[in-house]
Amino acid sequence: MQRLKGIIEKTDTKAGMAFAIVVQCLILISVVTFSIETLPHLSPTAEQWLNGIDFAIFVFFTIEYLSRIAVADHPWHYIRSFYGIVDLVAILPFFLGNVIDLRAVRAFRFLRLFRLLKVVRYNKAIRRLFRALNIAREEIVLFTLVTGILMYLAAVGIYYCEHDAQPEKFASVFHALWWAVATLTTVGYGDVYPITVGGRCFTFFILLIGLAVVSVPAGLVATALHKAREMEEEEAGHIRNRE
Amino acid sequence: MQRLKGIIEKTDTKAGMAFAIVVQCLILISVVTFSIETLPHLSPTAEQWLNGIDFAIFVFFTIEYLSRIAVADHPWHYIRSFYGIVDLVAILPFFLGNVIDLRAVRAFRFLRLFRLLKVVRYNKAIRRLFRALNIAREEIVLFTLVTGILMYLAAVGIYYCEHDAQPEKFASVFHALWWAVATLTTVGYGDVYPITVGGRCFTFFILLIGLAVVSVPAGLVATALHKAREMEEEEAGHIRNRE
Amino acid sequence: MQRLKGIIEKTDTKAGMAFAIVVQCLILISVVTFSIETLPHLSPTAEQWLNGIDFAIFVFFTIEYLSRIAVADHPWHYIRSFYGIVDLVAILPFFLGNVIDLRAVRAFRFLRLFRLLKVVRYNKAIRRLFRALNIAREEIVLFTLVTGILMYLAAVGIYYCEHDAQPEKFASVFHALWWAVATLTTVGYGDVYPITVGGRCFTFFILLIGLAVVSVPAGLVATALHKAREMEEEEAGHIRNRE
Amino acid sequence: MQRLKGIIEKTDTKAGMAFAIVVQCLILISVVTFSIETLPHLSPTAEQWLNGIDFAIFVFFTIEYLSRIAVADHPWHYIRSFYGIVDLVAILPFFLGNVIDLRAVRAFRFLRLFRLLKVVRYNKAIRRLFRALNIAREEIVLFTLVTGILMYLAAVGIYYCEHDAQPEKFASVFHALWWAVATLTTVGYGDVYPITVGGRCFTFFILLIGLAVVSVPAGLVATALHKAREMEEEEAGHIRNRE
């Protein structure tokens, strides 16, 4: 039992690492089979094969889930943890699948993709990221809020500029909001765009302000990560000095 | 009176916080109803309901505005402050609505959205943001100016390259300016784009320079915010040392 | 003479500032009239007016140019300086205009737009910008070079992926290069895009690498400006300490 | 022999610099001729000329390759080095060209473009870049991983939102993945975009998160380069202090 615990929960032994890699691969395979199943015009043979692989992985994941509960020091702790819920949600659709047709629910398996992040060597980077998000939390929330307000103002503005010229494309503020999202994020699909002079001038000004607002959060995360790395190095230096 | 003042102006008491949240929600509801009213093919019942909600919120906002004047230490100070004007402008259209049809003016209510920023815990972040804008003010103005000049040069250049090939789409420098805006901000709607070899080479070079110019302000804001945060920490450190 | 010199060359007196602002305005007006002249279907009256304004501004600029030579301490120094050449090039087309039809050459007047940057209070910001460009010069050149190579590789790659499927749009590596420019700068007009599975996978990988390459220079400029500002503050501190 | 070695391997002498520049130019010419050969409707004369230039450059590159082996201190070291393999791969297609038709393989010559980076004065900048990549390695890998997961989640989400409304464009998760790539990188070709309300709301939220994720790596590289430059200056300071 103790050995099984070492294999499932730790990744610093050879067997534990191998187990972790197998789980990661099965998650990826499960994601790929799910994607292939959505392809139109699949031959019945292919569908049978995919269902077979799906079922095998599901069995493996169920056994893994039960094992994790069995070896955990505090089973309830694991069951209610983020990864515990993800693991359960990933296998649940199979049990419910026979009762009701829940194709959408089966997609929840992709939540397990987050397990990819649990590779041991990136723990430090993830911790640094959370630290950085914590440092810049207020600014990020503020900019998200301002981005939201700005998008709404842009939508209202363009609605008044373009509604009369393009009553179909800018039918309401909600339609205009879609334009604001596609424009201020600079995606610019090209399905809706202003054609009046007023609307184009408005777009120019809103973009001038908007660009500097929408892309700031990314810069904030980058500088905060830089800061978090420096703080970490400083702490490491303190510890080294003390020794 | 003193109690009412505490509720309306402060947010550190329970009642004051509740009042602030109610006002915020009503602003959001008023914005949503305004957006829904722009939807085409609304049933008369829906319109009646929306008008009713609108009227109720308007009454509330009017009472709120008058109360704020009543409880203010310096009523004129509040009336002429940023939020005072915003609050007045937001309710004014209702009084004028019966005299003249001012659908556009009614949109001014969304200015109240800025009240969302006045949530107490982001005061510090907003102060930091203004500090950052102050630090990088000169650079931001400089880059905005250069962006403007660059866009105009890009428009003149593409006009000479493409006018003969696409006399409709690049009819004048103003039409070309629209292309410059959509291209240098990397929105790229796809409604106008160069088709000649010369125009495409020109686009390549202008983008090479332009990208490094247009997206710098966002980076400046991010680094200035980083700097502002550091200055704040330093000041906090000084105060702590002094104590 | 000395007084005229003060007005033309300096901006710290009232008259000098007024003169500088008048010149700036005339540059802007001249740019606007040039843009309006490109509009199709202009009425003859409008054209006459525009030509009149053009001529008046040209006379003013010629007088200004000669005055600047007259009051300069070293006339040749001014004539061969950046602004001296710009000022000459801006008025030259008018003298040549009668000899040969040089509509394109007349556009050179917009070079005078750079005079807008010569507003005295941004001298410091411009100096800081040049310092920042100097700090990050090597990296910027390196990234521009890598961007160029990457775009070419992307063009060759997509040519092989898409040539057979879209022989019209991806007719040669040069056509593919246009796609590479529009894609890696994330403009994405939508006039050319991959449709084969191979081309789309290739696009995904090239974008993953490309995005991190193409938008780095902007970040470099931002951090270098931050550094330049810090260096300036440090120097100012040294001077203050010495005093 | 020693003199030849100096010319081929070093660039600090006049002859060595001249040789390096000649090689660089021939690489560029070879790249240009390759690109021109892909143009449709080439006249037979042009093709003959291009083949002639190609052959001459190939002969030169073969001689260069053999010379580099001849003058190298450890020939095997050079042959198995990055540039040794690139040099071999660039000339190989010519020998194989007669046996099998390998048009695609001939494109490998462009790998030699990386020799452009070997210009001596950017060695320092390249070293700094590698240092920066090393500093931010973990974060870059982490963000690339998160970007990958996010794109897949976006694809699955939009597939469920849009599959019924646009069964052709969002035929499978793989089709949706193409949309996710074009959208989250903000390229936005406009060949596929959501049309349902659900799909548009989903796009809004995924873009809000995605933008802050996808453009972070560029910011990371920029701040890490800043850090690497500071470390370098510090080291230079230490050396100067020691002297």
Side-chain angles (χ1 to χ4, degrees):
Chain A
M1 193 69 174
Q2 205 56 33
R3 239 191 97 209
L4 192 68
K5 186 180 169 69
I7 292 171
I8 292 175
E9 289 193 343
K10 306 243 163 80
T11 51
D12 45 8
T13 62
K14 230 176 178 174
M17 199 64 201
F19 179 75
I21 290 171
V22 165
V23 169
Q24 305 277 352
C25 290
L26 284 177
I27 292 171
L28 283 181
I29 292 172
S30 133
V31 160
V32 170
T33 58
F34 172 79
S35 305
I36 293 175
E37 276 170 48
T38 65
L39 278 174
H41 315 306
L42 273 184
S43 70
T45 332
E47 270 192 51
Q48 262 181 336
W49 266 97
L50 290 169
N51 282 332
I53 296 169
D54 255 27
F55 186 73
I57 291 174
F58 147 71
V59 168
F60 181 92
F61 281 176
T62 309
I63 293 167
E64 189 212 342
Y65 180 66
L66 296 174
S67 309
R68 277 186 199 275
I69 296 177
V71 302
D73 293 326
H74 309 280
W76 266 109
H77 210 146
Y78 163 68
I79 290 171
R80 289 182 311 194
S81 74
F82 174 67
Y83 283 115
I85 292 166
V86 163
D87 290 353
L88 179 63
V89 167
I91 54 172
L92 221 57
F94 255 93
F95 291 103
L96 302 172
N98 297 322
V99 190
I100 29 165
D101 185 51
L102 291 166
R103 216 186 165 198
V105 178
R106 281 172 69 194
F108 282 130
R109 69 175 75 179
F110 59 69
L111 284 173
R112 277 213 129 200
L113 275 174
F114 285 108
R115 273 218 176 269
L116 290 179
L117 293 178
K118 225 194 168 178
V119 186
V120 93
R121 45 172 62 161
Y122 288 109
N123 268 357
K124 242 173 92 181
I126 291 175
R127 218 180 314 133
R128 222 179 291 146
L129 176 60
F130 275 105
R131 195 177 206 165
L133 289 179
N134 210 36
I135 292 173
R137 203 190 53 237
E138 288 179 356
E139 274 92 348
I140 291 173
V141 173
L142 183 67
F143 270 90
T144 309
L145 211 68
V146 173
T147 302
I149 295 179
L150 203 76
M151 279 190 180
Y152 184 74
L153 297 194
V156 172
I158 207 74
Y159 172 75
Y160 279 115
C161 291
E162 296 287 325
H163 180 61
D164 292 333
Q166 304 185 83
E168 279 297 307
K169 291 197 169 169
F170 291 92
S172 74
V173 168
F174 296 105
H175 290 77
L177 210 50
W178 170 243
W179 167 86
V181 170
T183 299
L184 282 175
T185 57
T186 78
V187 171
Y189 286 123
D191 51 343
V192 274
Y193 48 83
I195 53 167
T196 65
V197 173
R200 287 178 172 189
C201 291
F202 179 78
T203 307
F204 171 65
F205 286 109
I206 213 80
L207 271 172
L208 220 64
I209 305 165
L211 281 197
V213 171
V214 174
S215 45
V216 164
L220 282 174
V221 174
T223 52
L225 270 167
H226 177 66
K227 174 90 181 170
R229 221 182 297 124
E230 273 186 349
M231 279 163 73
E232 211 167 62
E233 277 166 22
E234 219 167 81
E235 286 164 15
H238 276 298
I239 292 163
R240 232 177 295 142
N241 284 341
R242 224 179 294 157
E243 279 165 1
Chain B
M1 194 70 176
Q2 205 57 33
R3 239 192 97 209
L4 193 68
K5 186 179 168 68
I7 291 171
I8 292 175
E9 289 194 342
K10 307 239 164 82
T11 51
D12 45 7
T13 62
K14 231 175 177 175
M17 200 64 203
F19 180 75
I21 289 171
V22 166
V23 170
Q24 305 278 352
C25 289
L26 284 177
I27 293 172
L28 283 180
I29 291 172
S30 132
V31 160
V32 170
T33 58
F34 172 80
S35 304
I36 293 175
E37 277 170 47
T38 64
L39 277 174
H41 317 306
L42 273 184
S43 70
T45 333
E47 271 192 51
Q48 261 179 335
W49 266 98
L50 290 169
N51 283 333
I53 295 169
D54 256 25
F55 186 73
I57 291 173
F58 147 72
V59 168
F60 181 91
F61 281 177
T62 309
I63 294 169
E64 188 211 344
Y65 180 67
L66 296 174
S67 309
R68 276 185 199 275
I69 296 176
V71 302
D73 294 326
H74 308 281
W76 266 110
H77 210 144
Y78 164 67
I79 290 171
R80 288 182 312 195
S81 74
F82 174 68
Y83 284 114
I85 293 167
V86 162
D87 289 354
L88 180 63
V89 167
I91 54 171
L92 221 57
F94 256 93
F95 291 102
L96 303 170
N98 299 322
V99 192
I100 29 165
D101 184 51
L102 290 167
R103 214 185 166 199
V105 178
R106 283 172 67 194
F108 282 129
R109 71 176 74 180
F110 58 69
L111 285 174
R112 278 213 130 198
L113 275 173
F114 284 109
R115 273 220 176 268
L116 290 180
L117 293 179
K118 225 193 167 179
V119 186
V120 94
R121 46 169 63 156
Y122 288 110
N123 268 356
K124 242 172 92 180
I126 291 174
R127 219 179 314 132
R128 223 179 290 145
L129 177 60
F130 276 104
R131 193 176 208 166
L133 289 178
N134 209 37
I135 293 174
R137 202 190 54 238
E138 289 180 353
E139 275 92 348
I140 291 172
V141 173
L142 183 67
F143 270 90
T144 310
L145 212 67
V146 173
T147 302
I149 296 180
L150 202 77
M151 279 190 181
Y152 185 74
L153 297 193
V156 172
I158 208 74
Y159 172 75
Y160 280 115
C161 291
E162 295 288 326
H163 179 61
D164 292 333
Q166 305 185 81
E168 280 296 306
K169 291 198 170 169
F170 291 93
S172 75
V173 168
F174 296 105
H175 290 77
L177 211 50
W178 170 242
W179 167 86
V181 170
T183 299
L184 282 175
T185 57
T186 77
V187 171
Y189 287 122
D191 52 342
V192 273
Y193 48 82
I195 53 167
T196 65
V197 173
R200 288 178 170 189
C201 291
F202 179 78
T203 306
F204 171 65
F205 286 111
I206 213 80
L207 270 172
L208 220 64
I209 306 164
L211 281 197
V213 171
V214 174
S215 45
V216 164
L220 283 174
V221 174
T223 52
L225 270 168
H226 176 66
K227 173 91 180 169
R229 220 181 299 124
E230 273 186 349
M231 280 163 72
E232 212 168 63
E233 278 167 20
E234 220 167 79
E235 286 165 14
H238 275 299
I239 292 164
R240 231 177 297 142
N241 284 340
R242 225 180 292 157
E243 279 166 359
Chain C
M1 194 68 176
Q2 206 56 34
R3 239 193 96 209
L4 193 67
K5 185 180 169 69
I7 291 171
I8 292 175
E9 289 194 342
K10 306 240 162 81
T11 52
D12 45 7
T13 62
K14 231 175 176 176
M17 200 63 204
F19 180 75
I21 289 172
V22 166
V23 170
Q24 305 278 353
C25 289
L26 285 177
I27 293 172
L28 282 181
I29 292 171
S30 133
V31 159
V32 170
T33 58
F34 172 80
S35 304
I36 293 175
E37 278 172 44
T38 64
L39 277 174
H41 317 306
L42 273 184
S43 71
T45 333
E47 271 192 49
Q48 262 180 336
W49 266 98
L50 290 169
N51 282 333
I53 296 169
D54 254 26
F55 186 72
I57 290 174
F58 147 71
V59 169
F60 182 91
F61 281 175
T62 310
I63 293 168
E64 189 212 341
Y65 180 66
L66 296 175
S67 309
R68 277 185 198 275
I69 295 177
V71 301
D73 294 325
H74 308 280
W76 267 110
H77 209 145
Y78 165 67
I79 291 170
R80 289 183 312 195
S81 74
F82 173 68
Y83 283 116
I85 292 167
V86 162
D87 290 353
L88 181 62
V89 167
I91 55 173
L92 221 58
F94 256 93
F95 292 101
L96 302 171
N98 299 322
V99 193
I100 29 166
D101 184 52
L102 290 168
R103 216 187 163 198
V105 178
R106 282 173 67 195
F108 281 130
R109 71 176 70 180
F110 59 68
L111 284 174
R112 277 213 129 199
L113 274 175
F114 285 109
R115 271 217 177 271
L116 291 180
L117 292 179
K118 224 192 167 180
V119 185
V120 93
R121 46 172 62 157
Y122 289 109
N123 269 357
K124 242 173 90 181
I126 292 174
R127 216 179 316 131
R128 222 179 292 147
L129 177 60
F130 275 104
R131 193 175 208 168
L133 289 179
N134 210 35
I135 292 174
R137 204 189 55 239
E138 290 180 352
E139 273 93 350
I140 291 173
V141 174
L142 183 68
F143 269 90
T144 311
L145 212 69
V146 172
T147 302
I149 295 179
L150 203 75
M151 279 190 180
Y152 185 74
L153 297 194
V156 172
I158 207 76
Y159 172 75
Y160 280 115
C161 291
E162 295 287 325
H163 179 60
D164 293 332
Q166 304 186 80
E168 280 298 306
K169 292 199 169 168
F170 291 93
S172 74
V173 167
F174 296 104
H175 291 76
L177 211 50
W178 170 242
W179 168 85
V181 170
T183 299
L184 282 176
T185 58
T186 77
V187 171
Y189 286 123
D191 51 341
V192 273
Y193 49 82
I195 53 167
T196 65
V197 173
R200 289 179 169 189
C201 290
F202 180 77
T203 307
F204 171 65
F205 285 110
I206 215 79
L207 271 172
L208 219 64
I209 306 164
L211 280 197
V213 171
V214 173
S215 45
V216 165
L220 283 174
V221 173
T223 52
L225 269 168
H226 176 67
K227 173 93 181 170
R229 219 180 301 125
E230 272 186 349
M231 279 162 74
E232 213 168 61
E233 276 167 21
E234 220 167 80
E235 286 164 16
H238 275 300
I239 292 163
R240 231 177 296 146
N241 284 340
R242 226 179 292 156
E243 278 166 0
Chain D
M1 193 65 177
Q2 205 57 32
R3 238 193 97 209
L4 192 69
K5 185 180 169 66
I7 292 171
I8 291 176
E9 289 194 342
K10 306 242 162 82
T11 51
D12 47 6
T13 63
K14 231 176 176 174
M17 200 63 202
F19 179 74
I21 289 171
V22 165
V23 169
Q24 305 276 352
C25 289
L26 285 177
I27 292 172
L28 283 181
I29 292 172
S30 134
V31 160
V32 171
T33 58
F34 172 79
S35 304
I36 294 175
E37 277 171 47
T38 64
L39 277 175
H41 317 306
L42 274 183
S43 71
T45 333
E47 271 193 49
Q48 262 180 337
W49 266 97
L50 290 169
N51 282 333
I53 296 169
D54 254 27
F55 187 72
I57 290 173
F58 147 71
V59 170
F60 181 91
F61 280 177
T62 309
I63 294 169
E64 190 212 341
Y65 180 66
L66 296 174
S67 309
R68 277 186 198 275
I69 295 177
V71 303
D73 294 325
H74 310 280
W76 266 108
H77 210 146
Y78 164 68
I79 291 170
R80 289 183 311 193
S81 74
F82 174 68
Y83 283 114
I85 292 166
V86 162
D87 291 353
L88 180 63
V89 167
I91 55 173
L92 221 59
F94 255 94
F95 291 102
L96 302 171
N98 299 323
V99 191
I100 29 165
D101 184 51
L102 291 168
R103 215 183 165 203
V105 178
R106 282 172 69 194
F108 282 130
R109 68 176 74 179
F110 60 68
L111 283 175
R112 277 213 130 201
L113 275 174
F114 284 109
R115 271 217 176 270
L116 291 179
L117 292 178
K118 224 192 168 179
V119 186
V120 94
R121 47 171 61 159
Y122 288 109
N123 269 356
K124 242 173 91 181
I126 291 174
R127 216 178 317 130
R128 223 179 293 144
L129 177 60
F130 275 105
R131 195 175 206 168
L133 289 179
N134 210 36
I135 292 174
R137 202 188 56 237
E138 288 180 354
E139 274 93 349
I140 292 173
V141 174
L142 183 67
F143 270 90
T144 310
L145 212 68
V146 173
T147 303
I149 295 178
L150 203 74
M151 280 190 179
Y152 185 73
L153 298 194
V156 171
I158 207 75
Y159 172 75
Y160 280 114
C161 291
E162 295 287 325
H163 179 59
D164 293 332
Q166 304 186 81
E168 280 296 307
K169 292 198 168 169
F170 291 93
S172 74
V173 168
F174 295 106
H175 290 77
L177 211 50
W178 170 243
W179 168 86
V181 169
T183 299
L184 281 175
T185 58
T186 77
V187 171
Y189 287 122
D191 52 342
V192 273
Y193 48 82
I195 53 167
T196 64
V197 173
R200 290 179 169 188
C201 291
F202 179 77
T203 306
F204 171 65
F205 286 110
I206 214 80
L207 271 172
L208 219 66
I209 306 165
L211 280 196
V213 171
V214 174
S215 45
V216 164
L220 282 174
V221 174
T223 52
L225 271 167
H226 176 67
K227 172 92 181 170
R229 220 181 299 125
E230 272 186 350
M231 279 163 73
E232 213 168 62
E233 277 166 22
E234 220 168 80
E235 285 164 16
H238 275 298
I239 292 164
R240 233 177 295 144
N241 285 341
R242 225 180 292 156
E243 278 166 1

